[in-house]
Amino acid sequence: MKKLQIADGIHMLTMNVEDILFEGIWEIVNGVTLNSYLVQGEKTAIIDGVIGWDGVPETLYKNLEEIGVDPQNIDYLIVNHMEPDHSGWISSFRKIKDDFTVICTDRAAKMVSSFYGGDNVRIVKEGDTLDLGKGKVLSFHPVPNVHWPDTMYTYERDTKTLFSCDMFGSFGRMGDHCFDDELTPEEIDFFESEGIRYYSNVMATFTSSVKKAIEKAKRLEINIIAPGHGPVYRKNPQKIIDDYSRFALYAEGAGKDEVTILWGSMYGMTAKAVDYVEGILKRERVKYNKLKMPLVSDSEMVASVFKSAGVIIAAPTYEYKLFPPVAAALNELGRKRITGKLAFRFGSYGWSGGAEKELHEIVERNKMNWNFIESVEFEGMPKEEDLTKIEVGILEFIEKMKEKVVK
Ligand code: FEO
């Protein structure tokens, strides 16, 4: 765990978490940070927890003491969001001190009780404030469904700091550099990529709420954005607001100038057509990410499709339906409400079709509203005329993809 001063009277405690599945689902190959913030006036508030799922380690108290905070003197626990990556420490903290006040939204208050028990909860609404003394005044701004219904922003008026919790967060462990102005170009690229993976894995389902939260942030005068995961933005907080605006567009069908090939093959027949398509993409200088299902994690698959301006689905019929690993991937994309993507499918069948029917059932059931170029199906191994039809489809796909690209 690391401690850093981010402004006068405000400290961040941050730690890297690795070797877990985030939310029990998402592989985080590059880890994630949990950030907590201490705001000190005459009273002291701690915003969100930092120790994850396992209780309060001694290191937390040691770090608090090193920044001049006796845990016994923490007056307020500001719970921006009840997901246990931020709130999991509350019951353990209660064991050493029980005379603090939890500040949270009404939706969070019910969860405080059901997750951790206890009372002494103050429910706040839009614009309510808490004066800590010495000029430190916190105000509270609910942003429901970012990412749970209970979520809120906390804003410190003196330093114009927005504590945004999940909003404006990113996966990715932090090394020595925790502020935007310290990041190297490689680290900026790293957090772009990890930010996309985080948004697509955790936030994409809630894009309509994220867009409202972006507008709410724009109405506040902000010098610093201090999220619950990832770097603090103090030089250019507008950058992460712009990034999130772009990510919201990705969730609704836009993307980078690149393609994801989501494919699977039983005996190499669909694979032969994939090889052919790769040749066309190389010839046409189109960047592509080739994901063979089921060998790729859901985390990587969702992120890749999310950021791509076009999706090529290459999958055969399997027992009258779509090749199951590709069907499962599309269902997951539907659950994540990744809508409006441009797509093109081809694949083989042995004695009957069925893949195409299930593909469209998945897309309709999940209201994905994807735009499909006419599919190409072939019996057994693709013949010359099948490959010609696929090339026509790919060229149409590349042309239409240009309308989806957002820089
Ligand atoms: Fe970082 Fe929704 O918890």
Side-chain angles (χ1 to χ4, degrees):
M1 188 186 295
K2 232 190 307 192
K3 55 191 182 301
L4 296 154
Q5 184 169 39
I6 68 168
D8 185 35
I10 302 178
H11 286 82
M12 172 169 75
L13 298 175
T14 180
M15 67 181 291
N16 290 325
V17 176
E18 318 209 29
D19 302 324
I20 60 158
L21 293 175
F22 197 79
E23 296 184 318
I25 304 170
W26 307 106
E27 188 179 42
I28 43 171
V29 287
N30 295 313
V32 63
T33 59
L34 302 180
N35 302 333
S36 179
Y37 299 93
L38 268 292
V39 183
Q40 290 171 273
E42 282 149 14
K43 301 276 189 182
T44 298
I46 185 165
I47 302 172
D48 299 325
V50 72
I51 46 73
W53 296 260
D54 300 328
V56 180
E58 289 305 309
T59 50
L60 174 63
Y61 301 122
K62 185 167 169 290
N63 278 283
L64 287 171
E65 281 167 16
E66 283 177 13
I67 58 173
V69 175
D70 180 343
Q72 294 297 335
N73 292 337
I74 292 177
D75 303 287
Y76 300 104
L77 264 58
I78 314 288
V79 177
N80 275 341
H81 173 32
M82 272 299 293
E83 192 163 14
D85 51 332
H86 307 280
S87 71
W89 72 310
I90 291 176
S91 53
S92 296
F93 188 62
R94 252 190 236 290
K95 288 179 188 157
I96 64 156
K97 177 181 167 72
D98 59 9
D99 57 339
F100 56 81
T101 303
V102 172
I103 310 269
C104 63
T105 62
D106 56 348
R107 299 297 293 270
K110 290 184 189 131
M111 294 188 205
V112 172
S113 167
S114 63
F115 284 26
Y116 307 117
D119 43 23
N120 208 10
V121 174
R122 178 185 156 195
I123 291 171
V124 290
K125 302 186 296 302
E126 176 64 39
D128 285 355
T129 58
L130 175 67
D131 190 343
L132 297 175
K134 295 187 182 173
K136 291 285 182 290
V137 178
L138 302 174
S139 62
F140 306 103
H141 308 275
V143 283
N145 297 315
V146 177
H147 121 251
W148 286 7
D150 59 302
T151 317
M152 68 177 185
Y153 288 147
T154 295
Y155 176 75
E156 200 289 303
R157 291 180 172 179
D158 181 31
T159 54
K160 300 181 171 50
T161 302
L162 182 71
F163 301 99
S164 59
C165 201
D166 278 354
M167 189 72 188
F168 305 125
S170 167
F171 283 151
R173 69 180 74 82
M174 287 198 289
D176 292 336
H177 300 157
C178 299
F179 296 100
D180 59 344
D181 50 292
E182 299 173 334
L183 299 177
T184 64
E186 293 74 26
E187 287 169 332
I188 290 170
D189 288 348
F190 174 77
F191 283 111
E192 157 78 9
S193 167
E194 289 296 314
I196 284 171
R197 225 155 50 75
Y198 171 83
Y199 187 106
S200 61
N201 290 187
V202 178
M203 304 290 268
T205 309
F206 308 97
T207 290
S208 62
S209 301
V210 165
K211 291 198 290 189
K212 289 178 191 158
I214 290 170
E215 292 310 309
K216 189 166 276 196
K218 285 180 180 171
R219 291 196 288 275
L220 296 166
E221 195 180 341
I222 294 173
N223 286 345
I224 301 169
I225 290 181
H229 307 286
V232 170
Y233 298 84
R234 64 182 179 187
K235 181 186 175 196
N236 184 13
Q238 187 61 42
K239 181 196 182 297
I240 192 65
I241 295 174
D242 292 343
D243 284 351
Y244 261 59
S245 300
R246 177 165 50 90
F247 297 164
L249 294 175
Y250 291 175
E252 295 177 336
K256 292 177 184 275
D257 191 5
E258 59 189 65
V259 171
T260 290
I261 306 174
L262 192 59
W263 76 288
S265 183
M266 285 181 281
Y267 297 108
M269 298 181 193
T270 298
K272 185 180 175 193
V274 171
D275 291 345
Y276 181 75
V277 164
E278 275 192 89
I280 299 169
L281 295 175
K282 283 179 184 155
R283 185 190 76 206
E284 300 296 323
R285 298 180 189 282
V286 176
K287 183 180 174 190
Y288 64 92
N289 315 301
K290 187 180 171 191
L291 307 186
K292 184 176 186 184
M293 305 310 294
L295 301 183
V296 176
S297 73
D298 270 1
S299 175
E300 184 181 344
M301 181 277 296
V302 169
S304 183
V305 170
F306 169 83
K307 70 175 178 175
S308 295
V311 188
I312 295 170
I313 300 163
T317 290
Y318 177 92
E319 297 178 355
Y320 312 104
K321 293 194 169 183
L322 185 62
F323 186 61
V326 172
L330 287 164
N331 267 310
E332 187 58 47
L333 293 163
R335 289 164 67 107
K336 286 287 152 194
R337 294 191 193 158
I338 294 175
T339 60
K341 290 292 181 188
L342 176 70
F344 172 55
R345 177 195 163 248
F346 56 84
S348 69
Y349 63 91
W351 65 94
S352 80
E356 189 70 8
K357 182 167 178 280
E358 192 187 13
L359 169 69
H360 290 288
E361 283 169 1
I362 292 168
V363 168
E364 279 165 32
R365 183 173 65 248
N366 290 292
K367 300 184 172 62
M368 293 163 79
N369 196 28
W370 284 22
N371 310 310
F372 282 89
I373 307 290
E374 188 176 352
S375 300
V376 178
E377 295 199 290
F378 43 89
E379 189 171 358
M381 195 64 84
K383 319 293 182 303
E384 201 57 41
E385 62 266 28
D386 302 316
L387 297 175
T388 300
K389 282 187 204 163
I390 289 171
E391 177 161 8
V392 169
I394 289 289
L395 292 176
E396 184 185 346
F397 171 85
I398 292 170
E399 194 55 36
K400 286 195 170 158
M401 210 181 91
K402 292 173 185 164
E403 298 165 16
K404 297 279 191 180
V405 174
V406 171
K407 303 282 184 195

